[in-house]
Amino acid sequence: MSDPGGLKELQQGFEAAIAAADSEAALEEVRVRALGKKGEISQLMKGLGKLPPEERKARGAALNRLKGEIGALLGRRKQELRDAALEERLKTERVDVTLPARPEAQGAIHPVSHVWEEVVEIFADLGFSVAEGPHIETDWYNFEALNIPPEHPARQEHDTFYFHKREDGSRRVLRTHTSPVQIRAMETRPLPIRVIAPGRTFRCDSDQTHTPMFHQVEALVLDESTHMGHLKWTLEEFCKAFFETDNVKMRFRASHFPFTEPSMEVDINCSWQGGQVKVGEGDDWLEILGSGMVHPNVIRAGGHDPDKVQGFAFGIGIDRLAMLKYGIPDLRAFFESDLRWLRHYGFRALDVPTLAGGLSA
Ligand code: PHE
């Protein structure tokens, strides 16, 4: 085919430039060069008027065809580039709907709060409800009603924080244990009573395993027939669920508390490897709680008849449980509010412990 005026070469040049354009901006440059006001094809069309009429017709038709073809090519390439850019964006901007709602969230749940929730979850499953009492207690609830009269030696062991004497000579205390909630529960709840009372407790004491404020969970079961077998079963079930192993061995040691008779301290078996404690293996023993059958004087102080009702109580250190389960060595660090510590030992806010979903997940 003849090529009057070298249009074929021009066409090939533009076709190559269009194929090579790798962005919309580059493509636009090609368009301007070809079809813009001062573009090469536009210029050639302007020149048509100077041609003799017999050449003008054929040349005009050829230029129009060229203009149409280049225009169509530009349009197609533009669409290709747009599709590719969209594809690229879709790849990088994909939304992962399985991510947490706010992946940038910084907060963490303190191990004590987490263990507190775990404990409540386990006892709720065993039919216990949660009871509460105030941090500032009267001498009656913290001591007397629990069978600890004023000169009783147990008072010394409690390293009590006392408030100033009042005009009537009475002194309030920061509760030294959660046992006062036993009395409050007996006063306010109908039998049978099955409660736990997790909460803060205070003693004037501080070293690697003691802090002036710490946490306990109290349990009280009171009805007409609850006996020590029930106490033992309850503690075994609790330990298995909490430490998430069936291998926990428990040792009941005769002990003394003024508010229980008989009284037992309970140890669980553990091993120490490289300064790390592991529960449920090895043959070392670690004390985790105090327990016993509720003393008749305590039942009476709570407003019930010890000849008709009986039951058991125990008190566990929540912080101690957290140290054991999550291998946290120093109790003091629990309350120093060191962000690095919290980030390391903290739990994700959405990891609410449940028996069905896993406690420590
Ligand atoms: N109150 C006791 C303590 O703080 C623990 C305990 C509670 C013991 C209930 C027996 C029964 O050490």
Side-chain angles (χ1 to χ4, degrees), residues 41-104:
I41 297 175
S42 312
Q43 292 297 326
L44 288 176
M45 288 184 115
K46 268 185 205 151
L48 278 176
K50 292 181 194 133
L51 291 181
E54 59 281 11
E55 278 178 45
R56 198 187 296 157
K57 201 173 168 204
R59 178 83 171 163
L63 278 174
N64 264 331
R65 193 176 29 80
L66 177 62
K67 186 180 170 191
E69 283 177 12
I70 294 299
L73 270 182
L74 281 166
R76 233 177 294 140
R77 180 72 186 140
K78 189 170 185 168
Q79 196 53 47
E80 266 173 34
L81 288 170
R82 285 206 170 150
D83 289 351
L86 181 63
E87 196 61 36
E88 201 53 38
R89 250 184 80 191
L90 286 177
K91 259 190 230 153
T92 53
E93 292 182 7
R94 188 168 39 196
V95 176
D96 181 351
V97 294
T98 66
L99 286 176
R102 298 193 50 196
E104 78 280 16

Side-chain angles (χ1 to χ4, degrees), residues 106-115 326 328 333-334 338-351 360-361:
Q106 292 275 314
I109 302 293
H110 194 287
V112 169
S113 305
H114 189 80
V115 166
Y326 296 110
I328 312 174
F334 276 64
D338 184 331
L339 257 187
R340 293 162 302 176
W341 186 91
L342 281 167
R343 286 197 184 117
H344 181 76
Y345 287 111
F347 291 83
R348 293 203 336 207
L350 296 176
D351 286 342
S360 49

Side-chain angles (χ1 to χ4, degrees), residues 146 158 176-180 182 203 214 216-219 257 259-260 263-265 289-292 312-316:
L146 290 166
H158 278 223
T176 57
H177 49 180
T178 42
S179 299
Q182 286 188 36
R203 288 185 203 178
F214 56 107
Q216 287 189 335
V217 57
E218 192 82 9
F257 299 102
F259 31 90
T260 47
S263 302
M264 287 142 335
E265 279 174 312
L289 63 93
S291 67
F312 64 77
F314 55 84
I316 317 181

Side-chain angles (χ1 to χ4, degrees), residues 239-251:
C239 282
K240 278 195 246 169
F242 180 76
F243 291 109
E244 297 176 66
T245 161
D246 281 344
N247 297 330
V248 203
K249 278 187 241 143
M250 308 182 77
R251 183 169 75 173

